[in-house]
Structures are given as C-alpha cells and as structure tokens.
C-alpha cells in the first residue's frame, strides 16, 4: 500500500474499529444493533441455487424456441454480457444481439440448437448475488457442426427475483464453429 493510500485508509479503519469496540463494550460483549435495524432474513443457499438452476433452464428453453422476450425476461436492465468477443452493455444491447444472431443463424447456422449444462452455482453469503458456471455445446446442421465452450453468469437479486447481471461465454479455441469428427 502506498504511503498516500495508507494516510487515507488507516484513519478510516481506526475509526471503524473504535466504533465497533465501543458498541461491543456498551453491550457487555454483544454488538449493539443500531436503532431501527432489522436482522437480515436467513438465506437458504440451497433453495437459491436450485432456483437459479431452474431459471437457467427456462432461459435455455426460451432460447431454443428463439423467444427473445423469454430470454430477456432473465436479464437485469443494467446487465452486461460478452458474446462473440463483443461487450454488450444494458438489456437493450443484449436484446439487439440476440435478435441479430438468431436472424443470421437462419442462414449461417441452419437448425441452430443451443445447449448448456450448469456445473456449479454458488450463492453469496448475503444471498443477494450468485454465480453459475458451466459448459455449452451449440450445434447446427443437424448436429454436424458445433461450438463448444464455457460460460460464467453472475446473478443478482432484484427485489425478490434473480436476474442476470453479467454473462460471458468463451468458446474453446479448437471448437469454435468446427465440424464434429465422423
């Protein structure tokens, strides 16, 4: 840490420690809750992870039906994504990308069939963020051509609903738009 940074951060840390210690001392060892503070509801991490797995499958089903509205229902308005090496910022940009890709796939990737498999979901301790990771295998031409890769999706609680905050897909170098071996 630089000297300048230490001069800025150190006083804040000392002040926070003093406030925390004062609260503990006043309560006989138990931290004092501020007036009007409610304890956060208990987070059911397993239920949230299962909910995200279900949402991911509904998102995939909408994509398989080429239902852009159904796909976009899963995204937060301020979401960002990286698809095909392009950074897309905001739900409107992500929507345009899905519409464009699905329209072009009709000729470039006939019979386009997206598929993915979730390999992990981890919910943050506070229960307001989560990540999903997995693999994808998009095929076309009756399964003769594939693009395989990995993905990472960050989910965020918006109100009481899980929404996609960030999404990135990364094709395997050797499989991007390659033919499956006979």
């Amino acid at each position: 840490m630089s000297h300048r940074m230490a001069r800025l951060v150190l006083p804040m840390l000392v002040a926070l420690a003093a406030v925390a210690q004062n609260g503990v001392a006043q309560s006989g060892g138990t931290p004092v809750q501020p007036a009007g503070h409610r304890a956060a509801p208990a987070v059911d991490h397993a239920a949230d992870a299962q909910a995200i797995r279900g949402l991911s499958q509904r998102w995939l089903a909408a994509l398989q039906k080429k239902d852009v509205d159904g796909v976009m229902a899963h995204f937060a308005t301020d979401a960002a994504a990286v698809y095909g090496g392009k950074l897309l910022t905001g739900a409107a940009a992500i929507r345009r990308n899905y519409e464009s890709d699905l329209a072009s796939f009709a000729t470039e990737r006939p019979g386009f069939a997206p598929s993915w498999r979730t390999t992990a979901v981890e919910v943050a301790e506070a229960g307001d963020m989560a990540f999903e990771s997995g693999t994808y295998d998009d095929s076309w031409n009756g399964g003769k051509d594939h693009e395989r890769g990995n993905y990472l999706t960050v989910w965020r609680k918006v109100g009481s609903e899980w929404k996609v905050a960030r999404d990135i897909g990364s094709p395997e170098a050797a499989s991007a738009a390659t033919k499956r071996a006979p």
Side-chain angles (χ1 to χ4, degrees):
M1 181 183 305
S2 74
H3 178 68
R4 181 176 180 205
M5 182 65 77
R7 285 187 17 215
L8 294 172
V9 174
L10 211 48
M12 288 188 286
L13 291 175
V14 170
L16 284 172
V19 168
Q21 186 173 355
N22 188 32
V24 170
Q26 289 178 2
S27 64
T30 305
V32 176
Q33 294 290 335
H37 178 77
R38 294 185 197 175
V43 176
D44 186 340
H45 293 90
D48 282 337
Q50 191 60 34
I52 288 169
R53 287 177 182 275
L55 287 167
S56 182
Q57 287 306 298
R58 285 193 286 284
W59 173 11
L60 175 59
L63 184 57
Q64 290 169 334
K65 292 184 224 169
K66 298 170 181 52
D67 174 9
V68 176
D69 289 335
V71 167
M72 293 310 300
H74 294 86
F75 283 85
T77 56
D78 62 346
V82 177
Y83 299 143
K86 296 181 289 190
L87 173 62
L88 308 166
T89 305
I94 295 168
R95 171 183 286 280
R96 284 190 302 273
N97 186 76
Y98 272 108
E99 290 169 342
S100 173
D101 279 358
L102 290 174
S104 69
F105 287 173
T107 55
E108 296 171 18
R109 294 183 176 188
F112 176 70
S115 176
W116 64 70
R117 185 175 70 82
T118 301
T119 55
V121 174
E122 187 170 325
V123 179
E125 191 63 33
D128 58 345
M129 300 280 291
F131 78 80
E132 170 192 2
S133 59
T135 59
Y136 68 89
D137 182 357
D138 297 340
S139 65
W140 58 98
N141 286 332
K144 295 176 188 167
D145 297 314
H146 290 261
E147 179 181 295
R148 295 181 181 93
N150 301 290
Y151 71 89
L152 177 66
T153 304
V154 177
W155 295 81
R156 179 179 69 225
K157 272 263 175 89
V158 177
S160 62
E161 295 183 307
W162 285 105
K163 296 289 184 178
V164 175
R166 302 290 184 267
D167 189 42
I168 185 169
S170 178
E172 295 174 352
S175 80
T178 59
K179 293 188 183 242
R180 173 180 275 183

